[in-house]
């Protein structure tokens, strides 16, 4: 039980309160209280404490547990997770306001936030280093009250910079959002802190390189010393007064970003809209670009806007997840069409091809290979990425993906379908002489009904078989239970191969030549010769045993 119990400031950290409790009760160091209160130096650095520790502090100071818990970052850690928590908060290195130190002697929660550089009470810029020796301000020195390097009293300093009213309002609101005291309101929907951080994850790509949207651009560079301060201030301003600030940000983005940089930033930002909670933002975003596209002309600076509908070959390769050199091969095969005037590709056409090549979303299954596994299993056997894409377009390969935003690097293919496509390629490719040929145009598949008999699968007078038919005893079943028919695909130019359709994929069957049965007298002479050979063998073996 502590005899002296200092007043709790509503915005201070529990770490600050424990240090003041130690000084008020004349403990030589904070470590003297750790055993009684069950906390460690790590808890002090993070300002996160176990529930048992908070309860113990409450009992020994006669404070309510819930009021003590509001002084910790436990709630922030629970909301955003450990990875985001470390990105949002300082640990041993801290910042402070000299006026708050003189008035209260407390360390405020907002001082530990990385995206913050303002004191909400005095509207002044927080200090991050000693003004005398430029040494870092640590958790230990801020509670001791003086610099551990030069001994300067922190309470004697003063902040020399004050923010404007506009900047102050944004920064104070940002502190309230990060500390869970306020929620972002976009139209009629409130967004929690995790949703705000998720919004920032995709919005930062649009704001990269735009400078400060909040402060005067001529002075912003000198005022913003930490990148996260600028990013989060811009983020909050962008979605306040929605959609006015939002569209103003897009205007700046269009003016300052162009070409591939603009396309890449837009593509990354648009992934945000797969989450339904941001549908209101999506409506305004699409309406903005619709107005921009419909209102543009092809003269002057607007020419870049028209070209933004088309992308370079390098960007197309990045979208599909393939090597840049394969794009020209796909163009020669007719899979993608090139704009003859500027040698660009249609963005819509590339995205459509990506949707076809990535297939449907499903969980990972065995006996399915990724592109890199295909190259390992079929080295130098003709099954390259260009052929794989063509077989997908033809419908011979059914790709599957395990993640939503997949490229060709992440999709998987059935081994059975790959084997079938490889056999088709071997059967068809020798008939071609050029390096890049279109499988789509050259492999002409016709549909027909084949009959399964005891002799084999019969189609157009030819007999076909493969390992799967023999394994599943198709021909034995046909002999016992009768013949049946099944649909197959056959190639008019290569009649020696047919394709069988199965729920698990495709099977290729090859034609076989049936030999004419020999004459009965020939068979009788053959069997008689074999019997004589056996008799001679047994007689020689018995003679050897007798001699032994």
């Amino acid at each position: 039980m502590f005899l002296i119990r200092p007043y709790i400031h509503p915005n201070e950290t529990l770490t600050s309160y424990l240090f003041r409790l130690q000084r008020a009760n004349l403990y030589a160091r904070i470590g003297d209280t750790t055993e009684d209160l069950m906390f460690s130096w790590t808890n002090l650095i993070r300002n996160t404490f176990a529930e048992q520790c908070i309860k113990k502090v409450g009992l020994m100071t006669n404070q309510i547990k819930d009021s003590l818990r509001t002084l910790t970052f436990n709630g922030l850690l629970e909301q955003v997770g450990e990875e985001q928590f470390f990105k949002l908060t300082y640990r041993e290195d801290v910042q402070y306001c000299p006026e708050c130190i003189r008035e209260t002697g407390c360390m405020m929660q907002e001082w530990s936030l990385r995206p913050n550089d303002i004191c909400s009470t005095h509207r002044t810029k927080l200090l991050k280093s000693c003004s005398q020796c430029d040494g870092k301000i640590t958790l230990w020195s801020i509670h001791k009250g003086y610099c551990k390097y030069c001994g300067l009293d922190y309470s004697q300093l003063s902040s020399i910079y004050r923010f404007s009213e506009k900047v102050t309002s944004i920064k104070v609101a940002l502190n309230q959002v990060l500390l869970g005291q306020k929620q972002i309101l976009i139209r009629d929907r409130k967004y929690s802190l995790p949703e705000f951080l998720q919004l920032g994850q995709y919005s930062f790509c649009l704001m990269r390189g735009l400078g400060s949207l909040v402060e005067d651009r001529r002075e912003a560079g000198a005022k913003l010393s930490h990148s996260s301060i600028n990013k989060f201030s811009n983020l909050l301003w962008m979605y306040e007064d929605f959609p006015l600030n939002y569209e103003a940000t897009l205007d700046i983005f269009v003016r300052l970003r162009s070409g591939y940089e603009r396309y890449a930033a837009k593509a990354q930002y648009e992934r945000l809209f797969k989450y339904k909670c941001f549908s209101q933002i999506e409506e305004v975003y699409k309406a903005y670009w619709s107005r921009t596209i419909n209102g543009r002309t092809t003269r002057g600076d607007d020419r870049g806007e028209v070209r933004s509908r088309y992308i370079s070959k390098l960007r197309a390769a990045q979208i599909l997840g393939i090597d840049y050199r394969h794009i020209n091969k796909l163009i020669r095969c007719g899979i993608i069409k090139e704009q003859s005037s500027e040698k660009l590709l249609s963005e819509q056409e590339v995205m459509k091809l990506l949707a076809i090549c990535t297939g449907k979303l499903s969980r990972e299954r065995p006996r399915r290979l990724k592109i890199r596994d295909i190259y390992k299993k079929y080295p130098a056997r003709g099954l390259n990425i260009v052929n794989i894409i063509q077989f997908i377009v033809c419908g011979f390969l059914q790709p599957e993906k395990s993640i939503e935003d997949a490229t060709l690097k992440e999709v998987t293919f059935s081994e059975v379908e790959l084997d079938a496509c490889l056999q088709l390629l071997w059967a068809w490719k020798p008939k071609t002489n050029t390096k890049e040929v279109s499988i789509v145009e050259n492999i002409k598949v016709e549909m027909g009904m084949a009959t399964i008999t005891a002799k084999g699968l019969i189609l157009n007078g030819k007999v076909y078989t493969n390992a799967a038919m023999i394994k599943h005893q198709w021909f034995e079943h046909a002999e016992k239970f009768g013949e049946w028919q099944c649909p197959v695909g056959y190639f008019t130019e290569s009649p020696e191969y047919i394709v069988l359709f199965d729920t698990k994929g495709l099977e290729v069957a090859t034609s076989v030549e049936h030999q004419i049965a020999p004459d009965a007298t020939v068979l009788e002479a053959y069997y008689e010769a074999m019997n004589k050979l056996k008799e001679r063998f047994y007689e020689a073996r018995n003679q050897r045993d007798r001699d032994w």
Side-chain angles (χ1 to χ4, degrees):
M1 184 71 69
F2 292 100
L3 297 179
I4 302 176
R5 302 160 188 169
Y7 167 75
I8 296 180
H9 194 282
N11 294 323
E12 75 172 316
T13 64
L14 184 55
T15 299
S16 170
Y17 181 69
L18 291 174
F19 270 101
R20 294 197 297 121
L21 197 64
Q22 167 240 327
R23 292 196 301 268
N25 289 273
L26 303 179
Y27 281 92
R29 54 192 181 89
I30 191 68
D32 296 337
T33 62
T34 56
E35 186 175 348
D36 295 334
L37 298 179
M38 297 179 295
F39 64 84
S40 65
W41 182 251
T42 303
N43 299 129
L44 293 174
I45 292 174
R46 297 183 180 182
N47 193 35
T48 56
F49 298 85
E51 295 296 327
Q52 189 177 4
C53 174
I54 299 174
K55 183 179 179 180
K56 187 78 171 178
V57 174
L59 291 174
M60 297 185 71
T61 59
N62 199 25
Q63 299 287 347
I64 300 174
K65 176 184 174 183
D66 291 341
S67 63
L68 290 173
R69 196 178 193 279
T70 58
L71 305 182
T72 70
F73 286 152
N74 289 12
L76 177 62
L77 179 60
E78 290 170 1
Q79 283 193 77
V80 304
E82 194 171 80
E83 182 180 355
Q84 282 288 352
F85 176 77
F86 289 146
K87 292 179 180 179
L88 289 175
T89 59
Y90 288 106
R91 285 174 284 285
E92 292 194 13
D93 299 335
V94 295
Q95 50 190 353
Y96 82 106
C97 170
E99 285 81 359
C100 288
I101 291 292
R102 282 196 295 270
E103 294 172 7
T104 64
C106 301
M107 178 179 173
M108 305 304 172
Q109 294 181 31
E110 61 187 29
W111 297 356
S112 297
L113 298 175
R114 289 182 181 272
N116 175 51
D117 63 346
I118 189 174
C119 172
S120 300
T121 304
H122 299 97
R123 304 303 200 248
T124 56
K125 187 177 179 65
L126 298 177
L127 301 181
K128 295 185 177 180
S129 61
C130 176
S131 59
Q132 182 167 297
C133 68
D134 202 31
K136 288 186 177 180
I137 300 175
T138 64
L139 183 65
W140 179 90
S141 61
I142 196 68
H143 289 293
K144 287 292 183 181
Y146 58 86
C147 177
K148 69 176 183 179
Y149 302 107
C150 66
L152 179 67
D153 188 349
Y154 288 147
S155 62
Q156 302 304 315
L157 301 178
S158 60
S159 181
I160 59 175
Y161 182 79
R162 291 182 181 273
F163 294 98
S164 65
E165 192 62 35
K166 175 186 176 183
V167 174
T168 299
S169 62
I170 289 293
K171 290 179 178 291
V172 171
L174 176 62
N175 290 343
Q176 293 173 346
V177 170
L178 296 177
L179 293 175
Q181 301 168 2
K182 179 182 177 181
Q183 288 184 321
I184 296 293
L185 180 65
I186 299 179
R187 289 186 172 172
D188 56 345
R189 193 191 190 288
K190 291 184 177 180
Y191 289 87
S192 62
L193 178 58
E195 290 173 330
F196 175 68
L197 295 177
Q198 190 177 47
L199 189 62
Q201 178 185 352
Y202 295 95
S203 301
F204 290 152
C205 60
L206 283 184
M207 298 183 291
R208 189 180 299 118
L210 303 188
S212 175
L213 304 177
V214 181
E215 302 190 48
D216 188 340
R217 288 182 173 274
R218 291 170 297 180
E219 303 177 3
K223 297 174 188 176
L224 295 175
S225 58
H226 199 288
S227 60
S228 63
I229 298 173
N230 190 14
K231 290 195 301 183
F232 278 93
S233 298
N234 286 349
L235 177 65
L236 187 62
W237 182 86
M238 179 178 177
Y239 291 100
E240 279 201 339
D241 296 329
F242 190 84
L244 296 179
N245 292 354
Y246 182 74
E247 292 183 344
T249 304
L250 293 178
D251 288 338
I252 298 172
F253 170 76
V254 170
R255 189 169 67 251
L256 299 182
R257 305 282 289 278
S258 61
Y260 314 135
E261 288 186 1
R262 181 190 299 179
Y263 176 82
K266 281 182 60 181
Q268 188 173 353
Y269 178 71
E270 288 167 3
R271 294 182 179 183
L272 171 72
F273 303 135
K274 64 185 178 183
Y275 303 103
K276 294 183 179 179
C277 60
F278 302 112
S279 57
Q280 294 185 354
I281 301 174
E282 183 181 12
E283 292 175 6
V284 176
Y285 177 83
K286 289 183 176 179
Y288 175 85
W289 287 109
S290 177
R291 292 196 305 271
T292 305
I293 293 173
N294 294 333
R296 72 167 65 110
T297 62
T298 58
R299 297 181 180 179
D301 295 335
D302 293 330
R303 186 177 300 172
E305 297 294 334
V306 177
R307 291 183 59 183
S308 66
R309 290 175 294 177
Y310 300 99
I311 57 176
S312 68
K313 297 176 183 178
L314 178 61
R315 181 56 194 156
Q318 293 172 348
I319 293 174
L320 295 173
I322 62 177
D323 191 274
Y324 168 76
R325 294 169 295 179
H326 296 312
I327 296 296
N328 285 329
K329 297 178 182 179
L330 291 175
I331 293 173
R332 287 194 286 270
C333 294
I335 298 296
I336 303 177
K337 294 182 180 179
E338 184 180 31
Q339 304 302 315
S340 57
S341 58
E342 301 184 10
K343 294 186 177 182
L344 298 175
L345 305 178
S346 169
E347 175 187 353
Q348 183 179 2
E349 186 179 2
V350 173
M351 296 305 294
K352 184 178 179 181
L353 179 62
L354 177 65
I356 295 172
C357 290
T358 52
K360 62 180 181 179
L361 185 65
S362 65
R363 59 182 179 84
E364 293 187 3
R365 295 189 295 166
R367 292 185 61 80
R368 295 190 67 84
L369 303 177
K370 291 185 177 181
I371 296 293
R372 63 174 182 270
D373 302 322
I374 294 174
Y375 284 146
K376 292 178 182 177
K377 184 175 180 180
Y378 308 103
R381 296 174 72 182
L383 199 59
N384 55 42
I385 187 66
V386 177
N387 293 335
I388 290 172
I389 292 176
Q390 293 189 78
F391 278 123
I392 294 172
V393 174
C394 289
F396 290 107
L397 286 176
Q398 304 297 324
E400 292 183 5
K401 57 185 177 182
S402 57
I403 58 176
E404 186 65 36
D405 299 321
T407 64
L408 274 162
K409 293 179 181 178
E410 289 86 23
V411 297
T412 60
F413 303 91
S414 166
E415 288 189 47
V416 176
E417 293 179 0
L418 288 169
D419 290 336
C421 290
L422 190 59
Q423 293 184 44
L424 288 176
L425 198 61
W426 287 345
W428 168 77
K429 196 168 183 179
K431 302 179 185 300
T432 64
N433 297 321
T434 57
K435 289 185 178 180
E436 286 82 36
V437 288
S438 174
I439 296 177
V440 179
E441 296 178 358
N442 288 277
I443 294 186
K444 304 296 184 182
V445 181
E446 301 289 341
M447 300 301 297
M449 296 298 293
T451 304
I452 292 90
T453 68
K455 297 180 179 180
L457 187 146
I458 299 178
L459 176 70
N460 297 334
K462 283 185 170 292
V463 181
Y464 298 86
T465 185
N466 68 359
M469 296 183 198
I470 297 172
K471 177 181 178 182
H472 294 98
Q473 300 180 348
W474 283 19
F475 311 135
E476 287 81 354
H477 284 99
E479 186 175 9
K480 292 180 181 179
F481 306 110
E483 302 173 353
W484 72 90
Q485 290 187 324
C486 69
V488 297
Y490 63 93
F491 310 99
T492 54
E493 297 181 0
S494 302
E496 64 270 19
Y497 292 94
I498 63 170
V499 178
L500 290 87
F501 304 96
D502 189 12
T503 55
K504 296 182 180 179
L506 305 175
E507 288 283 350
V508 175
T510 56
S511 63
V512 294
E513 296 292 338
H514 279 268
Q515 296 182 354
I516 302 174
D519 187 80
T521 56
V522 176
L523 281 177
E524 185 177 354
Y526 169 76
Y527 290 134
E528 184 178 356
M530 288 297 295
N531 290 332
K532 289 182 178 180
L533 186 62
K534 289 178 182 179
E535 290 177 0
R536 291 174 59 186
F537 172 76
Y538 292 140
E539 184 178 352
R541 187 179 63 179
N542 293 335
Q543 182 64 39
R544 185 172 62 253
D545 292 341
R546 287 194 297 269
D547 295 341
W548 179 262

